[in-house]
Amino acid sequence: MIALALVMPSLAQAAQAQLFVGTPWKIAQVGSHTGFAQGVATLSLDREGGFSAFSGCNGMGGSYTLAAQKLEFKGMVGTLMACDEPKMRDEQILK
């Protein structure tokens, strides 16, 4: 399970989810890692509680919950293609 803290104004939970759903987000930082290869790592959330992510080589997906300014990912699955070293490093951070 991966959890991200969200920094946003205090809004009703349903309104918070609408800010993030349906838009592909570019992943700029996970923990202290900020140097994602070629800036192509993305995350998308759908209205049914599913997510998809792309590392620049492999795709990942699973389910998510958003509550109390905390976005939590569960049940992550993904493809297992071999990639060049910078993308593989990024992918390990995303997992």
Side-chain angles (χ1 to χ4, degrees), residues 30 35 51 74:
V30 174
F51 79 90
K74 300 176 187 172

Side-chain angles (χ1 to χ4, degrees), residues 77-91:
V77 296
T79 60
L80 297 173
M81 296 188 305
C83 311
D84 60 22
E85 179 55 35
K87 289 181 184 175
M88 292 300 291
R89 182 185 63 244
D90 290 349
E91 191 164 293

Side-chain angles (χ1 to χ4, degrees), residues 37-78:
Q38 301 172 354
V40 295
T42 60
L43 170 70
S44 296
L45 307 175
D46 67 31
R47 297 189 193 293
E48 292 77 35
F51 79 90
S52 62
F54 180 66
S55 68
C57 179
N58 284 293
M60 297 165 238
S63 62
Y64 76 91
T65 56
L66 176 61
Q69 296 185 335
K70 184 177 179 183
L71 180 59
E72 218 169 55
F73 299 97
K74 300 176 187 172
M76 189 181 298
V77 296

Side-chain angles (χ1 to χ4, degrees), residues 10-23:
S10 180
L11 300 171
Q13 183 175 345
Q16 288 177 350
Q18 295 306 310
L19 295 173
F20 299 98
V21 172
T23 301

Side-chain angles (χ1 to χ4, degrees), residues 19-39:
L19 295 173
F20 299 98
V21 172
T23 301
W25 293 88
K26 181 178 172 185
I27 301 172
Q29 182 173 349
V30 174
S32 61
H33 183 73
T34 58
F36 285 95
Q38 301 172 354

